[in-house]
Structure formats: structure tokens, C-alpha cells
């Protein structure tokens, strides 16, 4: 059995720990197609927050409290940069984390595609699933905000971390998406997949940028594999993070029904055949999509594995 998972950072990483545990039991192969819209170049270094969240989490090196970055992290370089007044000061670059960005940037500068660089980094972390960036090309999420009566585009990280999404916001733009190609291996993985799972990741800034890469949405729509999504929203709560702010910008209700409707039915030009929602959302209706309830709190690995099993049963 071959499972492909579309994933963002923290939500995607947690979900993948469950997918991996299940896959080990049944002997399945897992490929994660990970968002790169959050990627940013700072101080000359290419930083891939979602790929790293997944790699560190599955590799046992993530900070469980923060949810992102490395466990046992120190911040000497960040403090030194701040002492120089080197902008941006709002982005958390840990010392241990920096080694990853140094290796990655050196390889990218030498001409290796991000997919090959990711594979090389994973040789250390052994995440137990194949990690692929959605694209090897530059694709960055930018956010059009209003400032001094004017519209201005800022990088997603500036909007998310510096402004905590608390600025008047018009829309999201996936810069570079039109000319991006799926990364090496992505379309092959989708074409041989038995099932595609959409992780409970941020639908607007984690999953949408993956689907914005021409060819990926088409591969899902025309593929033989059923596509089952897992709701990142429980009741009216985004559980963790600011998905509610993102959905508000799109004028989509922050609910399992809102997000399910945003993804839409595969038969109607969307991506879903099935939509897993929490029991509190059992009333959810998405036209032409089979909705099923299962507890969706990823409190520990056992709970997450149960979620994954429910998603696969639905598929
Ligand atoms: P990010 O890239 O680090 O922001 O992580 P993702 O986009 O992969 O996931 C973030 C989303 O995960 C949040 O917006 C939440 O909606 C969702 N999430 C986090 N924890 C849980 C959980 O325990 N259950 C469910 N269903 N969703 C969760
Ligand atoms: Ca992210």
C-alpha cells in the first residue's frame, strides 16, 4: 500500500507520526508532499520551516513544547545578529537549526534541487517517510495588507510572526506558483498512490500553496487514488495557530464545513472524496463528499494512529 500525505508544518508533522506508525504495522510506504510557501531567505540562508518541522518531528529532534525548531536549542547567533541590528529580528533562528540552513543553502548554491537537498538532510534524521517539497522552484506565500491607505505585499513570515496576523489583510499570493513545477518525484508518487490523505494542516497557507503548483491539483483530480482530508478545525476552534485569521481573509467560515467546502468534492472540480471531522462536527455537510466523524485531537501517537485508521477506512 502506498500513501501520499499533503502536509504543512506542525499539524502535518503530528499527523505524519500517526501515518508512519500505522504504515510500519501494515508495511505501507509513505510519501509526504510538504508546503514550501513559508520558505524564506534570511541572512543569506534558505529556511524551509514546514519541511524542517516535519523532518525534526519525525526524526525525534523537534522541541515538543514550542512545536517548531530543535529541542535543546540555544540562541547565541540570534542575539549576536540583534546586537548588530541585523534585520529581521523577529524571526527565531536557533543555533542548532542554523546548521540545517547552512547545509541546505550550500547544497542549493551548488545546484542541487531542494528535493535532493531534503533527501540529503533526511539521511541524518531518518524520518521513516519520504519527504518531498511540493516544488523545487521558488514559491513563496506573500500577504497583501493595507498600510497607510495603500496595499502592500509582505512575506507570509512577516505577517504571521511579526504581525501575528493582526493587520488589515486583503489576500494571499503564492509568488512563483504559475511557473512552478511539481518537485522531482511528486507526480510519480501521486500516480502510484493507493490513497491520498490531506493532513489537518492550515488549508489557506499550508495546503493551498501545494495545490497552487500546476499539475498537483490535476493529478489529485484525475488520479485513481481516493483523496481523504482530515479537518484542521474542531468546532469553531483552529486548535492551534491562526487558521481562523487566514480563513477570515478568504471569507470562509472557521468550521469543518467551511474548510470542507473550500476544498470541495473531487467530482465537482475540488479535491475531496472523503472528509473526516471531529464528532462535535458530525452534522457537517459537504456536497458530494462523504463525511465521517472520528476524534481528531492529536493528543498522542495512539490517538493520531486511530485518526489515520479512520481516514484510511473512509478511503
Ligand atoms: P504549520 O505549518 O506549522 O502552521 O502547521 P500546519 O499547517 O501543518 O498545521 C497547523 C494546523 O494544524 C492548525 O491550523 C490547526 O488547525 C491544525 N491542528 C493542530 N493540532 C491539531 C489537532 O490536534 N487536531 C486537528 N484536527 N488539527 C490540529
Ligand atoms: Ca507552515
Amino acid at each position: 500500500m502506498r500513501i501520499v500525505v499533503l502536509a504543512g508544518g506542525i499539524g502535518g508533522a503530528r499527523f505524519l507520526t500517526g501515518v508512519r506508525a500505522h504504515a510500519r504495522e501494515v508495511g505501507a510506504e509513505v510519501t509526504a508532499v510538504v508546503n514550501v510557501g513559508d520558505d524564506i531567505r534570511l541572512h543569506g540562508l534558505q529556511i524551509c520551516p514546514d519541511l524542517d518541522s516535519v523532518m525534526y518531528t519525525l526524526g525525534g529532534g523537534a522541541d515538543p513544547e514550542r512545536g517548531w525548531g530543535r529541542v535543546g536549542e540555544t540562541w547565541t547567533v540570534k542575539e549576536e545578529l540583534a546586537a548588530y541590528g541585523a534585520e529581521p529580528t523577529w524571526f527565531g533562528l536557533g543555533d542548532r537549526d542554523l546548521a540545517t540552513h547552512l547545509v541546505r543553502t550550500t547544497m542549493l548554491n551548488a545546484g542541487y534541487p531542494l528535493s535532493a537537498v531534503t533527501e540529503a538532510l533526511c539521511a541524518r534524521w531518518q524520518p521513516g517517510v519520504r519527504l518531498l517539497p511540493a516544488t523545487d522552484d521558488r514559491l513563496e506565500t506573500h500577504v497583501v495588507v493595507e498600510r497607510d491607505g495603500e496595499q502592500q505585499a509582505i512575506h507570509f513570515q512577516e505577517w504571521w510572526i511579526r504581525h501575528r496576523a493582526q493587520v488589515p489583510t486583503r489576500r494571499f499570493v503564492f509568488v512563483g506558483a504559475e511557473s512552478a513545477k511539481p518537485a522531482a518525484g511528486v507526480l510519480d508518487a501521486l500516480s502510484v498512490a493507493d490513497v491520498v490523505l490531506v493532513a489537518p494542516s492550515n488549508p489557506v497557507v499550508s495546503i493551498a500553496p501545494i495545490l497552487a503548483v500546476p499539475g498537483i491539483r490535476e493529478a489529485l483530480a484525475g488520479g485513481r487514488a481516493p483523496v481523504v482530508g482530515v479537518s484542521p478545525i474542531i468546532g469553531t476552534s483552529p486548535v492551534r495557530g491562526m487558521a481562523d485569521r487566514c480563513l477570515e481573509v478568504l471569507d470562509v467560515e472557521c468550521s469543518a464545513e467551511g474548510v470542507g467546502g473550500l476544498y470541495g468534492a473531487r467530482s465537482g472540480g475540488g479535491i475531496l472524496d472523503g472528509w473526516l471531522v471531529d464528532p462535535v462536527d458530525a452534522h457537517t455537510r459537504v456536497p458530494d463528499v462523504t463525511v465521517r466523524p472520528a476524534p481528531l485531537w492529536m493528543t498522542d501517537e495512539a490517538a493520531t494512529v486511530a485518526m489515520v485508521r479512520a481516514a484510511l477506512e473512509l478511503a
Side-chain angles (χ1 to χ4, degrees), residues 3 12 52 68 195 290 297:
I3 305 170
D52 288 350
W68 57 271
V195 57
T290 309
W297 291 93

Side-chain angles (χ1 to χ4, degrees), residues 7-14 35 38 49-50 53 67-68 156 160 199-203 205-207 230-234 237-244 296-299 307:
I10 298 170
R14 289 246 169 99
N35 174 43
D38 295 17
D50 286 0
S53 287
W68 57 271
F156 167 71
W160 185 262
S201 287
N202 188 311
V205 294
S206 288
I207 301 299
V230 180
S231 177
I233 308 296
I234 300 177
S237 163
V239 186
R240 168 183 193 130
M242 302 177 284
D244 49 340
L296 294 191
W297 291 93
M298 297 189 283
T299 42
M307 236 169 102

Side-chain angles (χ1 to χ4, degrees), residues 1-139:
M1 165 131 168
R2 296 190 179 100
I3 305 170
V4 172
V5 181
L6 307 189
I10 298 170
R14 289 246 169 99
F15 184 68
L16 279 162
T17 59
V19 178
R20 178 179 62 181
H22 174 78
R24 277 179 179 155
E25 251 170 57
V26 301
E29 224 176 79
V30 183
T31 302
V33 176
V34 181
N35 174 43
V36 296
D38 295 17
D39 294 12
I40 187 166
R41 196 165 267 254
L42 294 177
H43 310 293
L45 299 176
Q46 188 66 16
I47 297 160
C48 302
D50 286 0
L51 279 167
D52 288 350
S53 287
V54 173
M55 183 173 77
Y56 293 154
T57 301
L58 294 180
D63 185 311
E65 250 108 81
R66 253 183 296 129
W68 57 271
R70 295 285 310 280
V71 68
E73 191 56 284
T74 54
W75 306 91
T76 307
V77 176
K78 184 174 190 260
E79 286 158 23
E80 289 294 316
L81 286 166
Y84 283 112
E87 295 287 342
T89 48
W90 42 263
F91 196 87
L93 268 185
D95 300 330
R96 287 174 192 275
D97 197 24
L98 269 167
T100 305
H101 310 320
L102 285 165
V103 174
R104 173 187 293 126
T105 308
T106 303
M107 285 190 74
L108 289 171
N109 289 347
Y112 290 95
L114 182 60
S115 49
V117 176
T118 303
E119 193 181 341
L121 294 171
C122 286
R124 171 184 174 190
W125 291 102
Q126 296 291 317
V129 312
R130 186 164 179 227
L131 296 193
L132 294 176
T135 179
D136 283 326
D137 301 316
R138 178 172 174 245
L139 188 164

